[in-house]
Amino acid sequence: MLTHLGVRDFAIVDNLELALGSGMTVLTGETGAGKSLIVDALELAVGGRASADLVRAGAGAAEVNAVFEPNGAVSGWLVENALDDADGSCVLRRIVGADGRSRAFVNGRPVPVSQLRALGELLVDVHGQHAHQALLKPEAQRALLDDFGVPQELLEQVAALHATLRGLDAEIESLGESGDDPTARLDFLEHQIAELAGEPVEPAALEALDAEQRRLAHAADILDDLGAAREALDADDVGARGAVAAALRRVESAARHDPVLDGARDLLRQCEALLAEADTLLRRHGDAVDTDPQRLDVLERRLAAIHDLARKHRCPAHELHRRLASLREEHERLRGASARLDAIAGERARFLSRYREAAAALGRERAAAAVRLAEGADAVLATLGMAGAGIRFDLRHDAGAAPGPAGCDSVTLVASTNPGQPHLPLSRVASGGELSRIALAVHAVALARTGAATLVFDEVDAGIGGATAEIVGRRMRELGEQRQVLTVTHLPQVAALAHRHVAVRKRQDATGSRSAVEPLDDAGRERELARMLAGVDVTDKTLAHAREMLAAARAGRRRRPTRPAA
């Protein structure tokens, strides 16, 4: 149960402190006074969306503090998440900066917003002023039905199986993203690999092949050059070896008389030896030069084939070895992918079977819940001035439909607002006031099963009035006998039936507009109800009417409000 709400620098609220108790509490005030802002602040405290727009103009941050008296489920959650406090309290704090960033705290300890939201679902259930419009959406109708009577573990099982199937489908798409038949692609890769592996595409082998081809292609030129070189070395009188030998003899003769020439003599001796060695190498290489035209033809055809392969694979010839390695890697990957695809196909079939079974069980649970919820809502509608009206959930289970996270059911809420009329979609049969009452009836039954100890109704009585408004108020009061109920209303018939009454006022000064709250005593309630009845001009007659409404509400009280069970 919510016992205290503190709001600072939130929209037009600068500083607000509101103490709350059990039973039904109404918030009333002029349009724009800030009644729904209090609900918005509470929603923020329990994990609602944060934005910079929530921060009061000129302030650095907005802050909301909510103090709850926890029941057993909440206390267990706090202990399980190591967020319990020694005094057994539950204090939520939310801060939103002017930059839109927010921080959340539970019992003074920082928590992620997702964790705050999970706790908030156990504490507060909000039925907003646009809930009747949301009820027109099929997904909202299905969610309402699921929250009312479908085991949470079954919903989670279906969602988990769907997530698994999505993961398997994503892997299948990834493995087969080329779009080709894996078998055909493997055959093609094997052909390309064999084609490249049959040629010397490694850099060293390709270089040796190219060098041999050049030698054979220029064998005649090589032999001519070698002959000329040897002639230059050994030609009579003018050959390099003879000239060096003659020079050596003269230096040796001179060195006998001048030791300084020993160095020159040694160099000439080395030169003579090197020239002799060079001549020997030239002779041997000339003897080894091959002029075989048949071998040259073989080499040129092989090199042509290699360059054809390079053009085919759109890469230089010296990169073919990398292309071969890439093809082999793809072949291995695809061969493994083909085996994995076969395994995934079997795995997906098993999970799809389990999904279909779980989805069918979910459909059966929904069908049973739909009957219970419709029967309960019909009974409430009879008390809301719509006797003879009724709702029904049309469920269609498509066992062959593509798997979805919420199963294979389409859910449509249909209604008949008068006896004998067919059940049709809400948008076709219900006026604004009727839709509000249908939404209230459905949510009243659904909320009776929620674990939240605090129920919030934010102007859910829009579009109704008169005797129906009083009936709606009595229904909220009945809920207040079992849970804590916080109601924002413009209807005096509803406000008169509350256990306690808080007025929200908007005050203006030189610095701007501010909202403030004022808990009302009996006299204050009379004046506020009179204002709601008469508007600006409150007369003795409207005050008397207000006193009469309060007296009738007290006389009709069945029992005193009880505190929610711990």
Side-chain angles (χ1 to χ4, degrees):
M1 181 181 72
L2 178 65
T3 60
H4 182 269
L5 182 67
V7 184
R8 182 172 61 82
D9 292 332
F10 184 91
I12 62 171
V13 177
D14 59 351
N15 194 6
L16 179 151
E17 302 290 336
L18 178 62
L20 295 160
S22 60
M24 174 184 173
T25 299
V26 293
L27 299 174
T28 64
E30 296 283 0
T31 299
K35 301 180 298 299
S36 292
L37 283 177
I38 296 175
V39 177
D40 293 341
L42 178 58
E43 286 193 281
L44 180 69
V46 295
R49 188 180 67 87
S51 72
D53 297 337
L54 300 176
V55 182
R56 188 171 64 87
E63 181 176 339
V64 180
N65 291 273
V67 180
F68 291 86
E69 183 180 287
N71 58 20
V74 172
S75 296
W77 188 96
L78 291 171
V79 171
E80 182 180 346
N81 290 271
L83 293 169
D84 54 311
D85 207 33
D87 61 3
S89 63
C90 178
V91 181
L92 310 187
R93 183 183 180 207
R94 190 84 180 275
I95 300 173
V96 182
D99 58 359
R101 297 180 181 179
S102 76
R103 291 174 291 159
F105 303 85
V106 174
N107 286 332
R109 277 158 276 188
V111 296
V113 174
S114 58
Q115 194 173 27
L116 178 68
R117 189 177 300 119
L119 174 58
E121 289 174 357
L122 299 176
L123 292 166
V124 177
D125 204 325
V126 179
H127 181 62
Q129 56 183 299
H130 302 298
H132 61 289
Q133 297 173 0
L135 199 60
L136 296 172
K137 300 177 181 179
E139 58 271 22
Q141 297 168 6
R142 185 185 64 209
L144 179 68
L145 187 57
D146 289 346
D147 290 342
F148 169 73
V150 176
Q152 183 64 27
E153 58 270 18
L154 184 55
L155 290 166
E156 292 174 353
Q157 180 186 7
V158 170
L161 288 169
H162 171 258
T164 300
L165 287 172
R166 283 194 63 187
L168 292 172
D169 287 340
E171 188 173 358
I172 289 172
E173 183 179 355
S174 175
L175 290 171
E177 61 186 4
S178 65
D180 297 331
D181 175 13
T183 303
R185 179 63 177 169
L186 280 170
D187 291 342
F188 178 67
L189 288 172
E190 287 169 359
H191 168 73
Q192 287 194 314
I193 290 170
E195 193 175 48
L196 285 174
E199 298 293 346
V201 295
E202 290 298 325
L206 187 60
E207 186 177 347
L209 188 66
D210 192 55
E212 185 180 1
Q213 185 272 339
R214 287 198 306 273
R215 285 196 303 271
L216 284 172
H218 299 88
D221 293 337
I222 293 172
L223 288 173
D224 286 347
D225 290 338
L226 289 177
R230 292 195 65 201
E231 179 70 18
L233 287 175
D234 275 340
D236 295 339
D237 298 330
V238 295
R241 291 181 64 188
V244 170
L248 176 60
R249 288 194 297 272
R250 299 301 295 267
V251 171
E252 285 178 334
S253 176
R256 287 197 299 269
H257 308 290
D258 188 353
V260 174
L261 296 173
D262 289 347
R265 180 199 61 202
D266 292 341
L267 289 173
L268 286 170
R269 287 174 179 174
Q270 292 176 24
C271 185
E272 184 180 40
L274 289 172
L275 290 172
E277 186 176 350
D279 183 60
T280 300
L281 291 175
L282 293 174
R283 176 176 53 78
R284 289 176 182 174
H285 190 70
D287 294 341
V289 171
D290 191 355
T291 58
D292 185 356
Q294 292 181 344
R295 175 61 180 167
L296 177 61
D297 182 60
V298 169
L299 292 174
E300 288 180 341
R301 280 189 282 110
R302 172 154 282 190
L303 284 170
I306 291 172
H307 286 285
D308 287 342
L309 285 173
R311 285 191 294 273
K312 178 179 178 180
H313 290 276
R314 298 180 180 180
C315 66
H318 65 271
E319 295 287 340
L320 282 173
H321 70 290
R322 290 193 176 90
R323 176 62 177 160
L324 176 58
S326 175
L327 291 172
R328 283 172 170 160
E329 288 176 5
E330 183 183 354
H331 182 271
E332 286 300 312
R333 184 171 62 252
L334 190 57
R335 188 170 64 176
S338 180
R340 177 61 181 151
L341 281 170
D342 292 340
I344 291 176
E347 190 176 356
R348 189 186 189 282
R350 290 191 297 275
F351 274 101
L352 182 60
S353 176
R354 290 173 56 188
Y355 174 86
R356 297 293 185 203
E357 292 176 4
L362 177 58
R364 292 190 293 270
E365 290 287 347
R366 280 179 175 146
V371 173
R372 298 195 304 273
L373 181 53
E375 289 176 348
D378 288 352
V380 176
L381 282 174
T383 69
L384 296 178
M386 293 182 68
I391 68 163
R392 188 174 69 217
F393 287 89
D394 280 348
L395 274 78
R396 299 181 185 274
H397 181 78
D398 186 355
C408 301
D409 301 314
S410 62
V411 179
T412 304
L413 178 58
V414 295
S416 171
T417 56
N418 293 292
Q421 287 186 344
H423 287 73
L424 296 172
L426 292 180
S427 59
R428 294 177 56 187
V429 299
S431 65
E434 289 170 335
L435 182 57
S436 294
R437 280 178 280 174
I438 290 172
L440 180 59
V442 171
H443 283 86
V445 177
L447 288 173
R449 295 173 61 92
T450 183
T454 300
L455 307 181
V456 180
F457 295 95
D458 184 11
E459 297 189 34
V460 297
D461 47 20
I464 61 175
T468 302
E470 183 176 347
I471 294 170
V472 169
R474 291 198 178 279
R475 182 62 185 173
M476 291 184 183
R477 184 184 180 92
E478 289 174 6
L479 285 172
E481 301 287 352
Q482 306 162 26
R483 309 281 183 88
Q484 181 188 41
V485 172
L486 185 63
T487 301
V488 176
T489 184
H490 283 285
L491 299 179
Q493 297 92 332
V494 174
L497 288 159
H499 296 106
R500 53 186 54 81
H501 194 151
V502 175
V504 182
R505 315 290 190 198
K506 184 165 71 171
R507 296 166 181 160
Q508 292 183 319
D509 56 26
T511 60
S513 300
R514 289 176 173 79
S515 288
V517 294
E518 178 187 353
L520 301 178
D521 56 15
D522 288 345
R525 292 189 72 177
E526 289 179 8
R527 289 192 298 273
E528 178 67 6
L529 287 177
R531 181 199 63 78
M532 296 172 75
L533 286 165
V536 176
D537 296 324
V538 175
T539 65
D540 291 340
K541 187 175 182 179
T542 53
L543 282 169
H545 189 185
R547 279 193 296 272
E548 182 181 353
M549 292 178 68
L550 286 170
R554 294 189 186 99
R557 180 183 300 171
R558 296 182 179 179
R559 60 185 177 90
R560 295 183 64 81
T562 58
R563 298 176 78 83

